[in-house]
Amino acid sequence: MILKSIHLKNFRKFQDSYIEFPDGVTGVVGLNGVGKSTLFEAIAWVLYGPVAARTSTDQIKREGAAVSDPCRIELDFVFDDDAYHILREMSGKNLQASGSATVNGKLVASGAEVLSKFIQRRLGMDWKSFYTSIFAKQKELNTLSSMNPSERRQLIRRMLGIDVIDEIISEIRSDIKEKKTVIEKL
């Protein structure tokens, strides 16, 4: 996934913000409390809906926004050479959810739940997997540079949420050892 732009309107502390992402690797840096984590949450929320939010739905809309003002995010990205435009919105007093996705200008999903299912199917991951694949804490990245390859592999697996692989490899090695012992006895 290559992020192109995001437009946040009344999402958390963002009243109306538009960000274009340059080509290449993008780092998001800033002081505590300026909205770095909120930006990542916004990307997850527009893709996966309220399950990807850190708080309840009624706390997502910006405090001070009028009841008539929607909470809305639009995200543009490229995935598998296709251009995606994702829109998710909550509006009205009851924060009625809606959403849509277009791929190469063609509507492919309409409705909040349909959008979430479409994204999960298209990207091949749920919101938890998405978070762990895009979000690395600064301390974890700093630690990587001082590790040997084995330690680095272990940390990356943990960051991606796939550290269970180490357990499986250990079980396989143990099973192989047991099988070799049985074969030798036979």
Coordinates of all heavy atoms in Angstrom, one line a residue, residues 70-154:
P70 N -20.1 16.6 9.9 CA -19.8 15.2 10.0 C -18.3 15.0 10.4 O -17.5 15.9 10.3 CB -19.9 14.8 8.5 CG -19.6 16.0 7.7 CD -20.2 17.1 8.6
C71 N -18.1 13.8 10.9 CA -16.7 13.3 11.2 C -16.4 12.5 9.9 O -17.1 11.5 9.6 CB -16.7 12.5 12.4 SG -15.1 11.6 12.7
R72 N -15.4 12.9 9.2 CA -15.2 12.3 7.9 C -13.7 12.2 7.6 O -12.9 13.1 7.8 CB -15.8 13.3 6.8 CG -15.6 12.9 5.4 CD -16.3 14.0 4.5 NE -16.2 13.7 3.2 CZ -17.2 13.5 2.4 NH1 -18.4 13.6 2.8 NH2 -17.0 13.2 1.1
I73 N -13.3 11.1 7.0 CA -11.9 10.9 6.5 C -12.0 10.3 5.1 O -12.8 9.4 4.8 CB -11.2 9.9 7.4 CG1 -11.0 10.5 8.8 CG2 -9.8 9.6 6.8 CD1 -10.3 9.6 9.8
E74 N -11.1 10.9 4.2 CA -11.0 10.4 2.9 C -9.5 10.0 2.8 O -8.6 10.8 3.1 CB -11.3 11.4 1.9 CG -12.8 11.8 1.9 CD -13.1 12.9 0.8 OE1 -13.0 12.5 -0.4 OE2 -13.4 14.0 1.3
L75 N -9.2 8.8 2.2 CA -7.9 8.3 2.1 C -7.7 7.8 0.6 O -8.5 7.1 0.1 CB -7.6 7.1 3.0 CG -6.3 6.4 3.0 CD1 -5.2 7.4 3.5 CD2 -6.3 5.1 3.8
D76 N -6.6 8.3 0.1 CA -6.2 7.9 -1.3 C -4.9 7.1 -1.2 O -4.0 7.5 -0.5 CB -6.0 9.1 -2.2 CG -7.4 9.7 -2.5 OD1 -8.2 9.1 -3.1 OD2 -7.5 10.9 -2.2
F77 N -4.9 5.9 -1.8 CA -3.7 5.1 -1.8 C -3.6 4.2 -3.1 O -4.6 4.1 -3.8 CB -3.5 4.2 -0.5 CG -4.6 3.2 -0.4 CD1 -4.5 1.9 -0.8 CD2 -5.8 3.5 0.3 CE1 -5.5 1.0 -0.7 CE2 -6.8 2.6 0.5 CZ -6.6 1.3 0.0
V78 N -2.5 3.7 -3.3 CA -2.3 2.7 -4.4 C -2.0 1.4 -3.8 O -1.1 1.3 -2.9 CB -1.1 3.2 -5.4 CG1 -0.8 2.2 -6.4 CG2 -1.5 4.5 -6.0
F79 N -2.6 0.4 -4.4 CA -2.4 -1.0 -3.9 C -2.5 -1.9 -5.1 O -3.5 -1.9 -5.8 CB -3.4 -1.4 -2.8 CG -3.2 -2.8 -2.3 CD1 -2.2 -3.1 -1.4 CD2 -4.1 -3.8 -2.6 CE1 -2.0 -4.3 -0.9 CE2 -4.0 -5.1 -2.0 CZ -2.9 -5.3 -1.2
D80 N -1.5 -2.7 -5.4 CA -1.5 -3.6 -6.5 C -1.7 -2.9 -7.8 O -2.5 -3.3 -8.7 CB -2.5 -4.8 -6.4 CG -1.9 -5.9 -5.5 OD1 -0.7 -5.9 -5.2 OD2 -2.7 -6.7 -5.1
D81 N -1.1 -1.7 -8.0 CA -1.2 -0.9 -9.2 C -2.6 -0.3 -9.4 O -2.9 0.2 -10.5 CB -0.8 -1.6 -10.4 CG 0.7 -1.9 -10.4 OD1 1.5 -1.1 -9.9 OD2 1.1 -3.0 -10.9
D82 N -3.5 -0.4 -8.4 CA -4.9 0.2 -8.5 C -4.9 1.4 -7.6 O -4.4 1.4 -6.5 CB -5.9 -0.8 -8.1 CG -6.1 -1.9 -9.1 OD1 -6.1 -1.7 -10.3 OD2 -6.2 -3.1 -8.7
A83 N -5.7 2.5 -8.0 CA -5.9 3.7 -7.2 C -7.1 3.5 -6.4 O -8.2 3.3 -7.0 CB -5.9 4.9 -8.1
Y84 N -7.0 3.7 -5.1 CA -8.2 3.5 -4.2 C -8.5 4.9 -3.6 O -7.6 5.7 -3.3 CB -7.8 2.6 -3.0 CG -7.7 1.2 -3.4 CD1 -6.7 0.7 -4.1 CD2 -8.7 0.3 -3.0 CE1 -6.6 -0.7 -4.4 CE2 -8.6 -1.1 -3.3 CZ -7.6 -1.5 -4.0 OH -7.5 -2.9 -4.4
H85 N -9.8 5.1 -3.5 CA -10.3 6.3 -2.7 C -11.3 5.8 -1.7 O -12.3 5.2 -2.1 CB -11.0 7.3 -3.7 CG -11.5 8.5 -2.9 ND1 -10.7 9.5 -2.5 CD2 -12.8 8.8 -2.5 CE1 -11.5 10.4 -1.9 NE2 -12.7 10.0 -1.8
I86 N -11.0 5.9 -0.4 CA -11.8 5.4 0.6 C -12.4 6.6 1.4 O -11.7 7.5 1.7 CB -11.0 4.5 1.6 CG1 -10.2 3.4 0.9 CG2 -11.9 3.9 2.7 CD1 -11.0 2.4 0.1
L87 N -13.7 6.5 1.7 CA -14.4 7.5 2.4 C -15.1 6.8 3.6 O -15.9 5.8 3.3 CB -15.4 8.3 1.5 CG -16.3 9.2 2.3 CD1 -15.8 10.6 2.3 CD2 -17.7 9.1 1.7
R88 N -15.0 7.3 4.8 CA -15.8 6.9 5.9 C -16.2 8.1 6.7 O -15.5 9.1 6.8 CB -14.9 6.0 6.8 CG -15.8 5.3 7.9 CD -15.1 4.3 8.7 NE -14.6 3.1 8.0 CZ -15.2 2.0 7.7 NH1 -16.5 1.8 8.2 NH2 -14.7 1.0 7.1
E89 N -17.5 8.0 7.1 CA -18.1 9.2 7.7 C -19.1 8.8 8.8 O -19.7 7.8 8.7 CB -18.8 10.0 6.6 CG -19.5 11.3 7.1 CD -20.1 12.1 6.0 OE1 -19.3 12.8 5.3 OE2 -21.3 12.0 5.8
M90 N -19.2 9.7 9.8 CA -20.2 9.6 10.9 C -20.9 10.9 10.9 O -20.2 12.0 10.9 CB -19.6 9.3 12.2 CG -18.9 8.0 12.4 SD -18.4 7.6 14.1 CE -17.5 9.0 14.6
S91 N -22.2 10.9 10.8 CA -22.9 12.2 10.7 C -24.2 12.1 11.6 O -24.7 11.1 11.9 CB -23.3 12.5 9.3 OG -24.1 11.5 8.7
G92 N -24.7 13.3 11.9 CA -25.9 13.5 12.6 C -25.8 13.3 14.1 O -24.7 12.9 14.6
K93 N -26.9 13.4 14.8 CA -26.8 13.3 16.3 C -26.5 11.9 16.7 O -25.8 11.7 17.7 CB -28.2 13.7 16.8 CG -28.3 13.8 18.3 CD -29.7 14.3 18.8 CE -29.7 14.3 20.3 NZ -31.0 14.8 20.8
N94 N -26.9 10.9 16.0 CA -26.7 9.5 16.3 C -25.4 9.0 15.7 O -25.1 7.8 15.8 CB -27.8 8.6 15.9 CG -29.1 9.0 16.7 OD1 -29.0 9.4 17.9 ND2 -30.2 8.9 16.0
L95 N -24.6 9.8 15.1 CA -23.3 9.4 14.4 C -23.5 8.3 13.5 O -22.8 7.2 13.6 CB -22.3 9.1 15.5 CG -21.9 10.3 16.4 CD1 -20.9 9.8 17.5 CD2 -21.3 11.4 15.6
Q96 N -24.5 8.4 12.6 CA -24.8 7.4 11.6 C -23.6 7.1 10.7 O -23.0 8.1 10.1 CB -26.0 7.9 10.7 CG -26.4 6.9 9.7 CD -27.0 5.6 10.2 OE1 -27.7 5.7 11.2 NE2 -26.7 4.5 9.6
A97 N -23.1 5.9 10.6 CA -21.9 5.5 9.9 C -22.3 5.3 8.4 O -23.3 4.7 8.1 CB -21.3 4.3 10.5
S98 N -21.3 5.7 7.6 CA -21.4 5.4 6.1 C -20.0 5.3 5.6 O -19.1 5.7 6.2 CB -22.2 6.5 5.4 OG -21.5 7.8 5.5
G99 N -19.9 4.7 4.4 CA -18.6 4.6 3.8 C -18.7 4.1 2.4 O -19.7 3.6 2.0
S100 N -17.6 4.3 1.7 CA -17.5 3.9 0.3 C -16.1 3.7 -0.2 O -15.2 4.3 0.4 CB -18.3 4.8 -0.6 OG -17.6 6.1 -0.7
A101 N -15.9 2.9 -1.2 CA -14.6 2.7 -1.8 C -14.7 2.7 -3.3 O -15.7 2.1 -3.8 CB -14.0 1.3 -1.3
T102 N -13.8 3.4 -3.9 CA -13.7 3.3 -5.4 C -12.3 2.8 -5.7 O -11.4 3.2 -5.0 CB -14.0 4.7 -6.0 OG1 -13.0 5.6 -5.5 CG2 -15.4 5.2 -5.7
V103 N -12.3 2.0 -6.7 CA -11.0 1.5 -7.3 C -10.9 2.0 -8.7 O -11.8 1.6 -9.5 CB -10.9 0.0 -7.1 CG1 -9.6 -0.5 -7.7 CG2 -11.0 -0.4 -5.7
N104 N -9.9 2.7 -9.0 CA -9.7 3.3 -10.4 C -11.0 4.0 -10.8 O -11.4 3.9 -12.0 CB -9.3 2.2 -11.4 CG -8.0 1.5 -11.0 OD1 -7.1 2.2 -10.5 ND2 -7.9 0.2 -11.2
G105 N -11.6 4.7 -9.9 CA -12.8 5.5 -10.2 C -14.1 4.8 -10.3 O -15.2 5.4 -10.4
K106 N -14.1 3.5 -10.0 CA -15.3 2.7 -10.1 C -15.7 2.3 -8.6 O -14.9 1.8 -7.9 CB -15.1 1.4 -10.9 CG -16.3 0.5 -11.0 CD -16.0 -0.7 -11.8 CE -17.2 -1.6 -11.8 NZ -16.9 -2.9 -12.4
L107 N -17.0 2.6 -8.3 CA -17.5 2.3 -7.0 C -17.5 0.7 -6.8 O -18.1 0.0 -7.6 CB -19.0 2.8 -6.8 CG -19.6 2.6 -5.4 CD1 -18.9 3.4 -4.3 CD2 -21.1 3.0 -5.5
V108 N -16.8 0.3 -5.7 CA -16.7 -1.2 -5.4 C -17.3 -1.6 -4.1 O -17.5 -2.8 -3.8 CB -15.3 -1.6 -5.5 CG1 -14.8 -1.5 -7.0 CG2 -14.4 -0.9 -4.6
A109 N -17.6 -0.6 -3.2 CA -18.2 -0.9 -1.9 C -18.9 0.3 -1.4 O -18.5 1.5 -1.5 CB -17.1 -1.3 -0.9
S110 N -20.1 0.1 -0.9 CA -20.9 1.2 -0.4 C -21.6 0.7 0.9 O -22.2 -0.3 1.0 CB -22.0 1.5 -1.4 OG -22.8 2.6 -0.9
G111 N -21.4 1.5 2.0 CA -21.9 1.2 3.3 C -20.8 0.9 4.2 O -19.8 0.3 3.8
A112 N -20.9 1.3 5.5 CA -19.9 1.2 6.5 C -19.4 -0.3 6.7 O -18.2 -0.5 6.6 CB -20.3 1.8 7.8
E113 N -20.3 -1.2 6.9 CA -19.9 -2.6 7.1 C -19.3 -3.2 5.8 O -18.4 -4.0 5.9 CB -21.0 -3.4 7.7 CG -21.4 -3.1 9.1 CD -22.5 -3.9 9.7 OE1 -22.6 -5.1 9.3 OE2 -23.2 -3.4 10.5
V114 N -20.0 -3.0 4.7 CA -19.5 -3.5 3.4 C -18.1 -3.0 3.1 O -17.3 -3.8 2.7 CB -20.5 -3.1 2.3 CG1 -19.9 -3.5 0.9 CG2 -21.9 -3.7 2.5
L115 N -17.8 -1.7 3.4 CA -16.5 -1.2 3.2 C -15.5 -1.9 4.1 O -14.4 -2.3 3.6 CB -16.5 0.3 3.6 CG -15.1 1.0 3.6 CD1 -14.5 0.9 2.2 CD2 -15.3 2.5 4.0
S116 N -15.8 -2.1 5.4 CA -14.8 -2.8 6.2 C -14.5 -4.2 5.7 O -13.3 -4.6 5.7 CB -15.4 -2.9 7.7 OG -15.6 -1.6 8.2
K117 N -15.5 -4.9 5.3 CA -15.3 -6.3 4.8 C -14.5 -6.3 3.5 O -13.6 -7.1 3.3 CB -16.6 -7.0 4.6 CG -17.3 -7.3 6.0 CD -18.7 -8.0 5.8 CE -19.3 -8.2 7.1 NZ -20.7 -8.7 7.0
F118 N -14.8 -5.3 2.7 CA -14.1 -5.2 1.4 C -12.6 -4.9 1.6 O -11.8 -5.6 1.0 CB -14.7 -4.0 0.5 CG -13.9 -3.7 -0.6 CD1 -13.9 -4.4 -1.8 CD2 -13.0 -2.5 -0.6 CE1 -13.1 -4.1 -2.9 CE2 -12.2 -2.2 -1.7 CZ -12.3 -3.0 -2.8
I119 N -12.3 -4.0 2.5 CA -10.9 -3.7 2.8 C -10.2 -4.9 3.4 O -9.1 -5.2 3.0 CB -10.8 -2.4 3.8 CG1 -11.2 -1.2 3.0 CG2 -9.4 -2.3 4.3 CD1 -10.4 -0.8 1.9
Q120 N -10.8 -5.5 4.3 CA -10.2 -6.7 4.9 C -9.9 -7.8 3.9 O -8.8 -8.4 3.9 CB -11.0 -7.3 6.1 CG -10.4 -8.4 6.8 CD -11.1 -8.8 8.1 OE1 -11.7 -8.0 8.7 NE2 -11.0 -10.0 8.5
R121 N -10.8 -8.0 3.0 CA -10.6 -9.0 1.9 C -9.6 -8.6 0.9 O -8.7 -9.3 0.6 CB -12.0 -9.2 1.3 CG -12.1 -10.4 0.4 CD -13.5 -10.7 -0.1 NE -14.1 -9.6 -0.8 CZ -15.1 -8.8 -0.3 NH1 -15.6 -9.1 0.9 NH2 -15.6 -7.8 -1.0
R122 N -9.6 -7.3 0.5 CA -8.7 -6.8 -0.5 C -7.3 -6.7 0.0 O -6.3 -7.1 -0.7 CB -9.2 -5.4 -1.0 CG -8.4 -4.9 -2.2 CD -8.5 -5.8 -3.4 NE -9.8 -6.0 -4.0 CZ -10.2 -5.4 -5.1 NH1 -9.5 -4.5 -5.7 NH2 -11.4 -5.7 -5.5
L123 N -7.1 -6.2 1.2 CA -5.7 -6.1 1.8 C -5.2 -7.4 2.4 O -4.0 -7.6 2.6 CB -5.7 -5.0 2.9 CG -6.0 -3.6 2.4 CD1 -5.8 -2.6 3.6 CD2 -5.1 -3.1 1.2
G124 N -6.1 -8.3 2.6 CA -5.7 -9.6 3.2 C -5.3 -9.6 4.6 O -4.5 -10.4 5.0
M125 N -5.8 -8.6 5.4 CA -5.5 -8.6 6.8 C -6.6 -7.8 7.6 O -7.3 -7.0 7.0 CB -4.2 -7.9 7.0 CG -4.1 -6.4 6.6 SD -2.5 -5.7 7.0 CE -1.5 -6.2 5.6
D126 N -6.8 -8.2 8.8 CA -7.7 -7.5 9.7 C -7.1 -6.3 10.3 O -5.9 -6.0 10.0 CB -8.3 -8.5 10.8 CG -7.2 -9.0 11.7 OD1 -6.0 -8.5 11.6 OD2 -7.5 -9.8 12.6
W127 N -7.8 -5.6 11.1 CA -7.3 -4.3 11.6 C -6.1 -4.5 12.5 O -5.2 -3.7 12.5 CB -8.4 -3.5 12.2 CG -8.9 -4.1 13.5 CD1 -9.9 -5.0 13.6 CD2 -8.5 -3.8 14.8 NE1 -10.1 -5.3 15.0 CE2 -9.2 -4.5 15.7 CE3 -7.5 -2.9 15.4 CZ2 -9.1 -4.5 17.1 CZ3 -7.3 -2.9 16.7 CH2 -8.1 -3.7 17.6
K128 N -6.1 -5.6 13.3 CA -4.9 -5.8 14.2 C -3.7 -6.1 13.4 O -2.6 -5.5 13.7 CB -5.2 -7.0 15.1 CG -6.3 -6.7 16.2 CD -6.5 -7.9 17.1 CE -7.6 -7.6 18.1 NZ -7.9 -8.8 18.9
S129 N -3.8 -6.9 12.4 CA -2.6 -7.1 11.5 C -2.1 -5.9 10.8 O -0.9 -5.6 10.7 CB -2.9 -8.2 10.5 OG -3.3 -9.4 11.1
F130 N -3.1 -5.0 10.4 CA -2.8 -3.8 9.8 C -2.0 -2.9 10.7 O -0.9 -2.4 10.4 CB -4.0 -3.1 9.3 CG -3.8 -1.8 8.6 CD1 -3.3 -1.8 7.3 CD2 -3.9 -0.6 9.3 CE1 -3.1 -0.6 6.6 CE2 -3.7 0.6 8.6 CZ -3.2 0.6 7.3
Y131 N -2.4 -2.7 11.9 CA -1.7 -1.9 12.9 C -0.3 -2.4 13.2 O 0.6 -1.6 13.1 CB -2.5 -1.9 14.3 CG -3.3 -0.7 14.5 CD1 -4.7 -0.7 14.7 CD2 -2.7 0.6 14.7 CE1 -5.4 0.4 14.9 CE2 -3.4 1.7 15.0 CZ -4.8 1.6 15.1 OH -5.5 2.8 15.3
T132 N -0.2 -3.7 13.4 CA 1.2 -4.2 13.7 C 2.1 -4.1 12.5 O 3.3 -4.0 12.6 CB 1.2 -5.6 14.2 OG1 0.5 -6.5 13.3 CG2 0.5 -5.7 15.6
S133 N 1.6 -4.1 11.3 CA 2.4 -4.0 10.1 C 2.8 -2.6 9.7 O 3.8 -2.4 9.0 CB 1.7 -4.6 8.9 OG 0.6 -3.9 8.5
I134 N 2.1 -1.6 10.2 CA 2.5 -0.2 9.8 C 3.0 0.6 11.0 O 3.6 1.7 10.8 CB 1.3 0.6 9.2 CG1 0.2 0.8 10.3 CG2 0.8 0.0 8.0 CD1 -0.7 2.0 10.0
F135 N 2.8 0.2 12.2 CA 3.1 1.1 13.3 C 4.3 0.5 14.1 O 4.1 -0.5 14.8 CB 1.9 1.2 14.2 CG 2.0 2.2 15.3 CD1 2.1 3.6 15.0 CD2 2.1 1.8 16.6 CE1 2.2 4.5 16.0 CE2 2.2 2.8 17.6 CZ 2.3 4.1 17.3
A136 N 5.4 1.1 14.1 CA 6.6 0.7 14.9 C 6.9 1.8 15.8 O 7.1 3.0 15.4 CB 7.8 0.4 14.0
K137 N 7.1 1.5 17.1 CA 7.4 2.5 18.1 C 8.9 2.9 17.9 O 9.7 2.1 17.5 CB 7.2 2.0 19.5 CG 5.7 1.7 19.8 CD 5.5 1.2 21.1 CE 4.1 0.9 21.4 NZ 3.8 -0.5 21.8
Q138 N 9.1 4.2 18.2 CA 10.5 4.7 18.0 C 11.5 3.9 18.8 O 12.6 3.6 18.3 CB 10.5 6.2 18.5 CG 11.9 6.8 18.3 CD 11.9 8.3 18.7 OE1 10.9 8.9 19.0 NE2 13.1 8.9 18.7
K139 N 11.2 3.5 20.0 CA 12.2 2.8 20.8 C 12.5 1.4 20.1 O 13.7 1.0 20.1 CB 11.6 2.5 22.2 CG 11.6 3.7 23.1 CD 11.0 3.4 24.4 CE 10.9 4.7 25.3 NZ 10.2 4.4 26.6
E140 N 11.5 0.8 19.5 CA 11.8 -0.5 18.8 C 12.7 -0.2 17.6 O 13.6 -1.0 17.3 CB 10.4 -1.1 18.3 CG 9.6 -1.6 19.5 CD 8.2 -2.0 19.1 OE1 7.7 -1.5 18.1 OE2 7.7 -2.9 19.8
L141 N 12.5 0.9 16.9 CA 13.3 1.1 15.7 C 14.8 1.5 16.1 O 15.7 1.0 15.5 CB 12.8 2.3 14.9 CG 11.4 2.0 14.2 CD1 10.9 3.2 13.5 CD2 11.6 0.9 13.2
N142 N 14.9 2.2 17.2 CA 16.3 2.5 17.7 C 17.0 1.3 18.1 O 18.2 1.1 17.9 CB 16.2 3.5 18.9 CG 15.8 4.9 18.4 OD1 15.9 5.2 17.2 ND2 15.3 5.7 19.4
T143 N 16.3 0.4 18.8 CA 16.9 -0.9 19.3 C 17.4 -1.7 18.1 O 18.4 -2.4 18.2 CB 15.8 -1.6 20.1 OG1 15.4 -0.8 21.1 CG2 16.4 -2.9 20.7
L144 N 16.7 -1.7 17.0 CA 17.1 -2.6 15.8 C 18.6 -2.3 15.4 O 19.2 -3.3 15.1 CB 16.2 -2.3 14.6 CG 14.8 -2.9 14.7 CD1 14.0 -2.4 13.5 CD2 14.9 -4.4 14.7
S145 N 19.0 -1.1 15.5 CA 20.4 -0.8 15.0 C 21.5 -1.4 15.8 O 22.6 -1.6 15.4 CB 20.6 0.7 14.8 OG 20.5 1.3 16.1
S146 N 21.2 -1.7 17.1 CA 22.2 -2.3 18.0 C 22.1 -3.8 18.2 O 22.8 -4.3 19.0 CB 22.1 -1.6 19.3 OG 20.9 -1.8 19.9
M147 N 21.3 -4.4 17.4 CA 21.1 -5.9 17.6 C 21.8 -6.7 16.6 O 22.1 -6.2 15.5 CB 19.6 -6.2 17.5 CG 18.7 -5.6 18.5 SD 17.0 -6.1 18.2 CE 16.4 -6.2 19.8
N148 N 22.1 -7.9 17.0 CA 22.7 -8.9 16.0 C 21.5 -9.4 15.1 O 20.3 -9.2 15.5 CB 23.5 -10.0 16.7 CG 22.6 -10.9 17.5 OD1 21.5 -11.3 17.1 ND2 23.1 -11.3 18.7
P149 N 21.8 -10.1 14.0 CA 20.7 -10.5 13.1 C 19.6 -11.4 13.8 O 18.5 -11.2 13.5 CB 21.5 -11.3 12.0 CG 22.8 -10.7 12.0 CD 23.1 -10.3 13.4
S150 N 20.0 -12.3 14.6 CA 19.1 -13.2 15.3 C 18.1 -12.4 16.2 O 16.9 -12.6 16.2 CB 19.8 -14.2 16.1 OG 18.9 -15.0 16.8
E151 N 18.7 -11.4 17.0 CA 17.9 -10.6 17.8 C 16.9 -9.7 17.0 O 15.8 -9.5 17.4 CB 18.7 -9.8 18.7 CG 19.5 -10.5 19.8 CD 20.6 -9.7 20.5 OE1 21.2 -8.8 19.8 OE2 20.8 -9.9 21.7
R152 N 17.5 -9.2 15.9 CA 16.7 -8.3 15.0 C 15.5 -9.0 14.4 O 14.4 -8.5 14.4 CB 17.6 -7.7 13.9 CG 17.0 -6.6 13.2 CD 18.0 -6.0 12.2 NE 19.3 -5.6 12.8 CZ 20.5 -6.0 12.5 NH1 20.6 -6.8 11.4 NH2 21.6 -5.6 13.1
R153 N 15.8 -10.3 14.0 CA 14.7 -11.1 13.4 C 13.6 -11.3 14.4 O 12.4 -11.2 14.1 CB 15.3 -12.4 12.9 CG 14.2 -13.3 12.3 CD 14.8 -14.6 11.7 NE 15.7 -15.3 12.6 CZ 17.0 -15.4 12.5 NH1 17.7 -14.8 11.5 NH2 17.8 -16.1 13.4
Q154 N 14.0 -11.6 15.7 CA 13.0 -11.8 16.8 C 12.2 -10.6 17.0 O 10.9 -10.7 17.2 CB 13.8 -12.3 18.0 CG 13.0 -13.1 18.9 CD 13.9 -13.7 20.0 OE1 15.0 -13.2 20.3 NE2 13.5 -14.7 20.7

